[in-house]
Amino acid sequence: MSDLHLIEWQQDGPIATVWLNRPPVNATDQQLYSEIRTFFRDVERYLPEARVVVLAGRGKHFCAGNDLAEFQTLDPDNAPEQLQRAREAFWAIYDSPYPVIAAVHGVAVGSGLAIAASCDLVVAAEGARFATPEVNVGVLGGAKHLSRLVPQGVVRLMHYTGDLYPAEQLLPYGGIVEIVPEAQLLERARELARSIARHSPVTLRLAKRSLNGIEYRDLKTGYEYEQGKTRELSGYEDSKEAVNAFLERREPVYTGR
């Protein structure tokens, strides 16, 4: 029996789908944060055959933000522990060894937006809406995650207003890779996942680490970091198989070594 009750998952070969499942709107609370952290920190145990994960939400919304009942009791004494649990959940997704694709429908607001933005890629359903409404309820946070999806001017607009913005308005900024009809959302996210999962699992893990490692570095130190990962990757059989298959114009056969 799994000790996780608010997360569901399904594995289909190298593609795994994970759902947030805390009815009615997948609002985050301390338990859901803990389960997200537990699952993604140990995702290779839960999903041993996966190469790519699609993260979605059950019900009408991807995630409607933090359970406001917890904010009613938040004070300077209990805030550090609660806020730490939240950020550790986000970091667990961000640091996952597998690339993670958020499949967002309904709303992704507050902590829901942070969850989506902690993923590598975001695919949205038509009519999906995003917001950082923290100022509406007397807290702060989410702006840094939002900056992974939109430029700083839009971050400030969304953060100061706290309003909902449709995915269609945010699409041109590049943080959302595609908008599709809601009925096609999961299949499109899985299709994108399959296009990634055809690559070597070793290469994908190192690529994930490399991308995370360079995200906030300058050009010179970032590229040097990438070269270090190339050096590491060159010690794996999959690296040679990839280049040999390309030169021989055949499909590569990866061993994960």
Side-chain angles (χ1 to χ4, degrees):
M1 290 278 297
S2 169
D3 55 347
L4 304 180
H5 306 288
L6 303 178
I7 293 179
E8 299 176 0
W9 62 93
Q10 172 186 311
Q11 188 164 290
D12 182 14
I15 309 302
T17 306
V18 178
W19 290 271
L20 307 177
N21 188 19
R22 184 174 184 258
V25 293
N26 298 319
T28 51
D29 65 352
Q30 294 298 294
Q31 182 181 349
L32 182 53
Y33 284 136
S34 293
E35 292 196 16
I36 292 171
R37 178 187 60 188
T38 295
F39 183 85
F40 279 97
R41 278 184 174 179
D42 204 12
V43 69
E44 291 173 292
R45 179 172 70 87
Y46 289 104
L47 303 171
E49 303 301 322
R51 296 187 191 182
V52 184
V53 172
V54 173
L55 178 58
R58 295 290 194 193
K60 294 183 178 181
H61 298 289
F62 176 77
C63 176
N66 207 91
D67 189 328
L68 295 183
E70 293 192 343
F71 289 157
Q72 290 179 307
T73 59
L74 196 68
D75 61 43
D77 293 324
N78 64 31
E81 181 180 356
Q82 293 190 38
L83 298 177
Q84 178 179 351
R85 191 168 288 118
R87 65 176 177 266
E88 286 178 350
F90 305 148
W91 300 168
I93 297 170
Y94 182 80
D95 292 330
S96 163
Y98 304 144
V100 184
I101 301 170
V104 176
H105 74 292
V107 300
V109 301
S111 57
L113 185 147
I115 289 170
S118 296
C119 298
D120 295 89
L121 301 168
V122 178
V123 178
E126 292 175 349
R129 294 176 295 167
F130 295 76
T132 48
E134 281 78 359
V135 295
N136 297 345
V137 292
V139 298
L140 296 174
K144 190 60 181 177
H145 284 91
L146 180 57
S147 70
R148 301 191 77 222
L149 304 180
V150 298
Q152 185 62 209
V154 183
V155 169
R156 290 174 183 262
L157 172 66
M158 293 179 65
H159 202 59
Y160 286 141
T161 64
D163 293 338
L164 287 161
Y165 288 80
E168 289 79 2
Q169 187 172 340
L170 306 183
L171 180 67
Y173 302 114
I176 298 170
V177 298
E178 188 175 3
I179 297 174
V180 299
E182 186 170 334
Q184 300 173 19
L185 178 63
L186 271 184
E187 181 49 40
R188 179 60 189 124
R190 288 168 178 156
E191 182 180 337
L192 179 58
R194 285 191 288 271
S195 73
I196 297 170
R198 72 181 191 273
H199 300 300
S200 155
V202 170
T203 302
L204 290 176
R205 284 176 173 81
L206 285 172
K208 175 71 180 276
R209 272 192 271 163
S210 180
L211 288 167
N212 283 2
I214 67 173
E215 184 166 6
Y216 299 108
R217 296 178 187 238
D218 61 35
L219 174 64
K220 292 181 178 179
T221 60
Y223 185 60
E224 185 175 354
Y225 183 86
E226 288 185 276
Q227 288 183 313
K229 294 305 175 191
T230 294
R231 177 180 180 275
E232 184 177 349
L233 183 57
S234 69
Y236 288 90
E237 293 178 13
D238 279 6
S239 176
K240 301 299 185 293
E241 171 62 11
V243 68
N244 290 337
F246 183 84
L247 292 172
E248 296 166 11
R249 298 184 179 181
R250 61 174 174 81
E251 288 297 317
V253 178
Y254 296 120
T255 63
R257 296 193 298 271

